[in-house]
Amino acid sequence: ETGVTQTPRHLVMGMTNKKSLKCEQHLGHNAMYWYKQSAKKPLELMFVYSLEERVENNSVPSRFSPECPNSSHLFLHLHTLQPEDSALYLCASSQTGNEQFFGPGTRLTVL
Amino acid sequence: KQEVTQIPAALSVPEGENLVLNCSFTDSAIYNLQWFRQDPGKGLTSLLLIQSSQREQTSGRLNASLDKSSGRSTLYIAASQPGDSATYLCATGNTGKLIFGQGTTLQVKP
């Protein structure tokens, strides 16, 4: 695998479910990011991890919980989501402050 | 608070035409500016990165310019092809945090 990978690519979940999104980067970068892309809205930065420490939490509801166990892996744990949370969730990585590279995204649908 | 605007929202051109996509931002204190391409339902592909000290970057048929003082960047696409059809996004960066515009959706007709 090269670049940034995300699994699953598609996810459908009920509002009471718990699920996790996974991101892995194979680029040797030290920063990882979660973005949300909703229809008709610009991409929104959710979380930033630099050297495995969370350095940005962009006023994201607590039903989204990120985890960065090492510099190559990033998770987004989902719990009691709402239908308006349905979106494309994109992961990215970079050397801090430099060009960001994105994964293919997870298309999430909350019923 | 940084705001990024892209005009036009959509653009349709015949194949072979040269075109310019515009991006404006409200806060000139940026670290860099990045242009991306996004195909429907897919992730983002990085096209060009311009550091704040640079004026332009080129890659193949693409040329991106940056004028920090006026808060503007342009993406020039030469000799457009149907395969260039996609949404083009610009984003300004400050210590790694990217703020995105809403994108310009380009259709190149054969």
Side-chain angles (χ1 to χ4, degrees):
Chain A
E1 295 267 24
T2 58
V4 181
T5 59
Q6 291 187 241
T7 55
R9 297 293 308 279
H10 301 272
L11 178 61
V12 180
M13 58 187 290
M15 290 190 285
T16 58
N17 291 158
K18 288 184 182 181
K19 297 286 184 183
S20 295
L21 309 185
K22 178 182 176 183
C23 176
E24 185 173 359
Q25 59 98 0
H26 309 267
L27 300 169
H29 290 158
N30 61 9
M32 296 187 77
Y33 313 79
W34 279 117
Y35 289 88
K36 176 183 178 183
Q37 187 175 36
S38 305
K40 308 295 184 185
K41 293 177 69 175
L43 267 85
E44 302 170 72
L45 178 65
M46 299 175 72
F47 301 104
V48 179
Y49 276 83
S50 180
L51 299 172
E52 300 155 42
E53 284 195 31
R54 192 191 311 179
V55 297
E56 182 81 11
N57 178 343
N58 216 21
S59 302
V60 179
S62 59
R63 57 186 182 270
F64 295 90
S65 175
E67 179 190 1
C68 187
N70 55 61
S71 60
S72 298
H73 294 87
L74 185 66
F75 294 89
L76 188 62
H77 303 299
L78 315 173
H79 177 50
T80 58
L81 295 192
Q82 305 297 311
E84 59 264 29
D85 297 323
S86 299
L88 182 67
Y89 288 85
L90 292 161
C91 173
S93 72
S94 74
Q95 281 300 109
T96 304
N98 287 331
E99 187 175 8
Q100 291 191 21
F101 293 86
F102 282 73
T106 295
R107 173 68 64 185
L108 174 66
T109 302
V110 181
L111 302 176
Chain B
K1 179 186 173 184
Q2 179 71 281
E3 294 183 5
V4 180
T5 304
Q6 291 187 246
I7 295 173
L11 184 62
S12 180
V13 300
E15 181 177 6
E17 192 163 299
N18 302 325
L19 56 101
V20 174
L21 307 181
N22 297 293
C23 173
S24 62
F25 45 94
T26 55
D27 186 350
S28 62
I30 63 170
Y31 188 74
N32 57 39
L33 187 140
Q34 201 166 347
W35 281 93
F36 296 90
R37 168 188 173 139
Q38 186 175 31
D39 293 287
K42 301 290 181 64
L44 277 64
T45 300
S46 178
L47 298 174
L48 290 163
L49 172 74
I50 310 176
Q51 301 288 359
S52 63
S53 59
Q54 297 174 319
R55 298 281 294 181
E56 64 177 339
Q57 282 287 337
T58 298
S59 176
R61 293 182 295 108
L62 305 179
N63 176 277
S65 67
L66 174 63
D67 184 344
K68 278 180 38 177
S69 61
S70 65
R72 292 183 180 180
S73 177
T74 61
L75 179 67
Y76 175 82
I77 303 176
S80 58
Q81 304 170 358
D84 295 330
S85 299
T87 296
Y88 291 80
L89 298 160
C90 74
T92 63
N94 193 344
T95 62
K97 297 174 234 177
L98 287 180
I99 306 298
F100 281 83
Q102 288 198 280
T104 294
T105 299
L106 173 65
Q107 183 183 30
V108 181
K109 298 180 179 178

